[in-house]
């Protein structure tokens, strides 16, 4: 896959009969992603905090369920509800996120950005794994950021809080999780693809949640006006990852332009920190201990069940 493919959503095939779960679909990248998938006939399950807003946007044509990724109790309730009503899922798009927020703790006492951007999606993926393994051409698409290249360990961020450092750390966690999931699924012989995507610099309202006026001005004001691409184009990498046959497990799909800031979806390399085996194992162990979701057992059980039914 190269940048000269000039891929756009016009190449998305008919998605009738396929079920997609999209987190954070009431604005920004998630909203654009949901609209494009719905236009191709996909059955959408929108995981959102504001159900009434989602209904105003999408109407009755999609399935809307409440999910607060910062609250692990909410994640478990959401997953249990899906198990009651669905026998399989085809694609999970871990899109929702928050950026450079004031120091806040989740209901379980974890730093909010790490809890929302990583821990919630880690737990959600694990709890839906059996439904995904029962799907057709199943995929998990985890949205990271070009800022994962600027992050430093350890996890979570050090006690002295820096809003952007905590954000960068959470995005490195997304990248590490997606790649480590790819490694583990591949070792298990699974057909489930774990693919990473990032939108480059995109004009979303995510940046307006920044903790200080100067960050909001730099990121959401000047940055959006001078550097950012339209939100519709920012969604292209994750749409490619979710639908294109050329998107393989372990890939990072990102804009092709300078600095990965804008452009058509193309294959990019993850940072060295995101592919280090010891980093992946460290984060995985921490995430399982923190969330109580044990992927190793789930992968083994789900794959054994799938083999028995073949």
């Amino acid at each position: 896959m190269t940048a000269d493919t000039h891929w756009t959503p016009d190449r998305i095939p008919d998605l009738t009969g396929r079920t997609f779960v999209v987190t954070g679909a009431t604005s920004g990248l998630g909203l654009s992603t949901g609209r494009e998938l719905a236009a191709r006939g996909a059955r959408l399950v929108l995981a959102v905090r504001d159900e009434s807003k989602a209904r105003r946007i999408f109407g009755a044509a999609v399935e809307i369920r409440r999910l607060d990724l910062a609250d692990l109790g909410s994640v478990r309730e959401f997953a249990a509800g899906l198990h009651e009503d669905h026998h399989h899922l085809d694609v999970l798009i871990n899109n929702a996120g928050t950026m450079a927020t004031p120091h806040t703790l989740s209901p379980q006492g974890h730093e909010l950005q790490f809890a929302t951007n990583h821990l919630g999606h880690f737990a959600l993926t694990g709890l839906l794994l059996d439904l995904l393994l029962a799907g057709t051409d199943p995929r998990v698409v985890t949205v990271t950021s070009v800022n994962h290249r600027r992050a430093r360990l350890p996890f979570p961020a050090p006690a002295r809080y820096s809003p952007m450092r905590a954000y960068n750390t959470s995005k490195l966690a997304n990248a590490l999780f997606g790649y480590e999931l790819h490694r583990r699924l591949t070792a298990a012989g699974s057909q489930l693809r774990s693919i990473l995507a990032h939108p480059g610099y995109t004009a979303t309202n995510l940046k307006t949640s920044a903790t200080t006026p100067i960050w909001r001005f730099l990121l959401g004001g000047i940055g959006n006006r001078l550097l950012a691409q339209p939100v519709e184009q920012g969604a292209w990498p994750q749409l490619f990852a979710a639908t294109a046959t050329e998107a393989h497990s372990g890939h990072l799909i990102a804009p092709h332009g300078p600095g990965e800031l804008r452009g058509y979806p193309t294959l990019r390399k993850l940072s060295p920190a995101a592919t280090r085996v010891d980093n992946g194992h460290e984060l995985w162990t921490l995430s399982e201990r923190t969330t109580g979701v044990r992927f190793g057992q789930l992968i083994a059980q789900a794959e054994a069940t799938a083999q028995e039914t073949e």
Side-chain angles (χ1 to χ4, degrees), residues 45-268:
V45 180
L46 303 184
V48 300
R49 287 188 299 174
D50 191 337
E51 294 172 272
S52 60
K53 182 178 180 181
R55 290 192 181 95
R56 289 195 300 271
I57 295 171
F58 287 93
V62 303
E63 183 178 339
I64 297 169
R65 293 175 178 261
R66 186 180 184 279
L67 173 62
D68 181 356
L69 284 161
D71 184 351
L72 293 172
S74 176
V75 175
R76 290 186 178 275
E77 289 177 10
F78 176 88
L82 281 188
H83 277 87
E84 290 178 3
D85 299 330
H86 292 266
H87 298 296
H88 77 277
L89 301 170
D90 298 304
V91 181
L92 168 63
I93 303 179
N94 290 324
N95 162 82
T98 189
M99 181 180 189
T101 55
H103 186 261
T104 310
L105 298 181
S106 73
Q108 286 75 37
H110 310 297
E111 189 276 313
L112 183 66
Q113 294 187 79
F114 191 69
T116 302
N117 298 351
H118 169 63
L119 291 176
H121 282 128
F122 178 94
L124 179 65
T125 304
L127 293 169
L128 298 181
L129 197 68
D130 58 335
L131 296 180
L132 288 161
L133 288 168
T136 301
D137 185 20
R139 308 181 188 200
V140 176
V141 178
T142 301
V143 180
T144 181
S145 166
V146 68
N147 280 36
H148 88 274
R149 305 187 186 286
R150 302 174 184 172
R152 296 180 180 178
L153 301 177
F155 294 108
R160 184 177 179 182
Y161 186 73
S162 162
M164 282 304 298
R165 182 172 60 195
Y167 173 74
N168 294 346
T169 297
S170 74
K171 292 287 103 180
L172 175 56
N174 288 150
L176 270 166
F177 164 57
Y179 197 76
E180 181 65 17
L181 179 60
H182 152 68
R183 267 198 293 250
R184 293 178 182 236
L185 290 169
T186 300
S190 176
Q191 298 302 305
L192 176 59
R193 309 186 204 188
S194 176
I195 307 169
L196 287 150
H198 84 66
Y201 202 112
T202 299
T204 70
N205 60 8
L206 180 66
K207 303 171 187 66
T208 62
S209 65
T211 184
T212 64
I214 186 62
W215 274 116
R216 288 194 292 272
F217 176 69
L218 291 174
L219 294 173
I222 290 179
N224 275 357
R225 286 197 298 270
L226 298 182
L227 299 175
Q229 62 186 347
V231 65
E232 294 80 8
Q233 189 170 1
W236 290 359
Q238 61 202 61
L239 284 165
F240 182 98
T243 65
T245 58
E246 305 97 308
H248 298 294
S249 190
H251 278 180
L252 169 65
I253 309 301
H256 82 281
E260 304 176 29
L261 296 182
R262 55 194 301 145
Y264 294 100
T266 194
L267 179 62
R268 291 285 197 173

